[in-house]
């Protein structure tokens, strides 16, 4: 949620370390279709000429550090659009920003799956125009056909990256952790004072629910209360709740084991990879956990609707999508991109889980009025 909730943690929206990026427009602006931007850049990356007026600006609201440095600049040069990127650390932060200031603040946002349903139900996003997405068919069919978060009729979001939530550890701190393990790992007195959980209501209450054998989308008050009490019991064992810099915490031996998103674990893995090995491990506990997909959606009051669709088409490009996925270490929903994905990632079962793991994973769903029960429980947990 992403983030990352999903979702990748980090310091800058395009990998540069800042919270806002903008680039130099190349070619003509405000023109129609393929006359705008650089044909040479489009040819270099295999980007399509567009048959609609893209416009000359785009305002994006995105998770931190969710594409490599220079990604936005490729789009700007290819299509002659000046892009401004602002960042958020959670779906709730993004939602509250839009609710308080209006959806017209941004054109393109990147909500996690369950938030798509909420945004659509509250009239905060608009349906995407598939006729303007020439690369939409690059997606694997399951991410199109199996999208319980994307309400009918129409299409409200486009998959960007996906992943899981689970436990990461550094063997230099915790050499005795072996997989498979239970969520009980995160309640172990043995690791008290060195563990962290995500600062994310649905992820962390969801982990507690899965540990207890319940669905992470439970709407039963008794189960939610039981999960809450378990988290209050766990809290003295934790150093903090945090959804940012989880990769750094693992890498720098500040925490282990850690509840985190898969991409953060693999960022730490590769940062510490030497001589064919790394001290970082990651797995989904045997009870299962969250499978999430971060998506792109166009806001209801977007001023630059065409530019938003152009950017979605851009990241659906196989090479661009692989460039992003190879950077964030999340699995891609883009079938065409897999030709360009690093083999070490494609063949890693912790990144692309086998079927027996996938069957125990759940999307976080919009649970309607029960959200209030989660909110009240989360407040109690934080105040405990």
């Amino acid at each position: 949620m992403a983030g990352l909730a999903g979702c990748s943690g980090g310091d800058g929206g395009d990998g540069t370390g800042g919270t806002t990026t903008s680039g130099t427009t190349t070619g003509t602006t405000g023109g129609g279709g393929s006359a705008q931007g650089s044909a040479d850049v489009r040819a270099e990356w295999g980007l399509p000429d567009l048959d609609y007026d893209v416009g000359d600006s785009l305002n994006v609201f995105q998770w931190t550090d969710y594409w490599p440095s220079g990604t936005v600049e490729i789009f700007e040069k290819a299509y002659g659009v000046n892009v401004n990127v602002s960042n958020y650390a959670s779906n709730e932060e993004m939602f509250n920003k839009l609710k308080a200031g209006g959806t017209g603040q941004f054109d393109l946002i990147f909500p996690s799956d369950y938030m798509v349903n909420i945004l659509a139900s509250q009239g905060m996003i608009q349906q995407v125009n598939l006729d303007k997405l020439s690369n939409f068919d690059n997606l694997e069919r399951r991410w199109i056909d199996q999208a319980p978060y994307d309400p009918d009729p129409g299409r409200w979001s486009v998959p960007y990256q996906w992943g899981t939530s689970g436990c990461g550890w550094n063997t230099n701190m915790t050499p005795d952790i072996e997989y498979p393990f239970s969520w009980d790992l995160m309640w172990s007195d043995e690791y008290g004072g060195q563990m962290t959980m995500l600062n994310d209501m649905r992820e962390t209450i969801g982990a507690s629910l899965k540990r207890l054998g319940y669905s992470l989308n439970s709407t039963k008050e008794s189960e939610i209360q039981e999960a809450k009490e378990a988290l209050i019991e766990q809290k003295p064992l934790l150093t903090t709740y945090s959804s940012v810099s989880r990769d750094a915490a693992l890498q720098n031996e500040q925490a282990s084991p850690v509840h985190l998103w898969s991409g953060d674990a693999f960022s730490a893995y590769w940062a510490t990879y030497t001589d064919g090995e790394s001290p970082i491990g990651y797995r989904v506990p045997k009870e299962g956990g969250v499978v999430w997909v971060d998506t792109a959606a166009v806001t209801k009051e977007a001023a630059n609707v065409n530019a938003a669709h152009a950017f979605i088409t851009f990241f659906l490009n196989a090479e661009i999508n692989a460039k992003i996925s190879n950077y964030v270490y999340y699995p891609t929903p883009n079938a065409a991109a897999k030709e360009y994905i690093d083999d070490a990632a494609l063949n890693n079962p912790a990144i692309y889980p086998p079927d027996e793991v996938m069957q125990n994973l759940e999307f976080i769903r919009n649970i309607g009025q029960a959200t209030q029960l989660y909110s009240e429980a989360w407040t109690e947990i934080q105040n405990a």
Side-chain angles (χ1 to χ4, degrees):
M1 76 173 56
L4 299 162
C7 349
S8 171
D11 300 312
D14 75 334
T16 62
T19 56
T20 303
T21 70
S22 61
T24 302
T25 301
T26 305
T28 60
T29 61
S34 60
Q36 185 173 334
S38 170
D40 289 342
V41 173
R42 293 197 296 274
E44 178 184 355
W45 289 95
L47 298 169
D49 293 340
L50 302 175
D51 60 3
Y52 52 87
D53 183 355
V54 178
D56 58 9
S57 63
L58 176 65
N59 296 310
V60 176
F61 206 17
Q62 169 65 303
W63 297 88
T64 56
D65 201 21
Y66 215 174
W67 43 53
S69 179
T71 303
V72 168
E73 287 78 3
I74 296 171
F75 175 78
E76 291 179 313
K77 292 175 181 178
Y79 294 108
V81 178
N82 188 70
V83 181
N84 298 298
V85 181
S86 298
N87 299 134
Y88 54 87
S90 73
N91 281 287
E92 287 68 31
E93 179 186 342
M94 177 266 291
F95 176 85
N96 291 335
K97 174 79 170 178
L98 296 178
K99 201 71 173 175
T103 63
Q105 299 172 87
F106 304 101
D107 306 304
L108 187 64
I109 57 176
F110 286 79
S112 299
D113 35 59
Y114 73 98
M115 186 56 67
V116 172
N117 190 284
I118 294 171
L119 292 167
S121 67
Q122 298 207 18
M124 298 171 68
I125 56 177
Q126 58 182 277
Q127 292 186 16
V128 294
N129 185 342
L130 297 182
D131 290 338
K132 292 182 177 179
L133 303 182
S134 59
N135 288 330
F136 189 76
D137 287 341
N138 282 353
L139 292 167
E140 293 179 342
R141 288 306 312 180
R142 68 170 169 170
W143 299 105
I144 299 174
D145 299 335
Q146 301 173 28
Y149 54 85
D150 198 308
D152 289 327
R155 184 85 200 186
W156 299 85
S157 64
V158 177
Y160 176 69
Q161 297 282 298
W162 71 278
T164 59
S165 303
C167 299
W169 67 97
N170 187 316
T171 57
N172 292 332
M173 292 183 68
T174 49
D176 56 335
I177 293 178
E178 295 183 0
Y179 185 77
F181 49 72
S182 163
W183 278 109
D184 287 342
L185 177 72
M186 300 303 299
W187 272 257
S188 173
D189 291 336
E190 181 180 357
Y191 307 121
Q194 63 187 61
M195 297 186 291
T196 68
M197 295 288 285
L198 285 169
N199 186 25
D200 185 295
M201 178 181 77
R202 292 297 305 276
E203 284 276 7
T204 294
I205 295 178
S208 186
L209 285 164
K210 294 296 281 188
R211 173 176 174 259
L212 294 167
Y214 305 135
S215 167
L216 58 83
N217 295 299
S218 175
T219 58
K220 295 182 179 179
E221 184 173 5
S222 61
E223 295 179 355
I224 297 167
Q225 290 298 310
E226 189 178 350
K228 177 199 73 176
E229 294 299 332
L231 288 168
I232 291 174
E233 178 185 345
Q234 176 206 43
K235 192 172 181 181
L237 301 175
L238 305 179
T239 61
T240 188
Y241 295 105
S242 178
S243 297
V244 298
S245 301
R246 296 303 80 207
D247 53 344
L250 275 180
Q251 179 181 332
N252 298 329
E253 300 181 21
Q254 297 169 328
S256 177
V258 176
H259 175 215
L260 78 174
W261 291 297
S262 53
D264 287 337
F266 287 101
S267 178
Y269 178 92
W270 289 114
T272 55
Y273 186 87
T274 57
D275 298 326
E277 59 183 23
S278 168
I280 307 301
Y282 171 82
R283 285 294 190 272
V284 177
K286 62 184 181 181
E287 299 94 338
V290 172
V291 58
W292 52 262
V293 57
D294 286 338
T295 74
V298 182
T299 63
K300 183 67 172 181
E301 300 173 309
N304 302 289
V305 173
N306 281 353
H309 282 81
F311 195 90
I312 295 172
T313 296
F314 167 73
F315 78 66
L316 287 175
N317 167 274
E319 290 190 61
I320 295 295
N321 192 272
K323 176 181 171 71
I324 294 169
S325 194
N326 287 333
Y327 173 74
V328 296
Y329 302 115
Y330 285 129
T332 177
N334 192 313
K338 289 186 175 180
E339 176 184 352
Y340 306 99
I341 297 294
D342 293 339
D343 287 342
L346 279 178
N347 298 324
N348 191 322
I351 299 178
Y352 290 89
D355 289 342
E356 58 267 27
V357 175
M358 291 294 292
Q359 68 185 8
N360 289 327
L361 302 177
E362 297 181 76
F363 280 114
I364 293 177
R365 295 176 182 252
N366 179 5
I367 38 110
Q369 293 298 317
T371 301
Q372 183 63 28
L373 296 174
Y374 281 76
S375 296
E376 292 171 356
W378 187 237
T379 298
E380 288 187 51
I381 293 164
Q382 292 176 312
N383 293 336

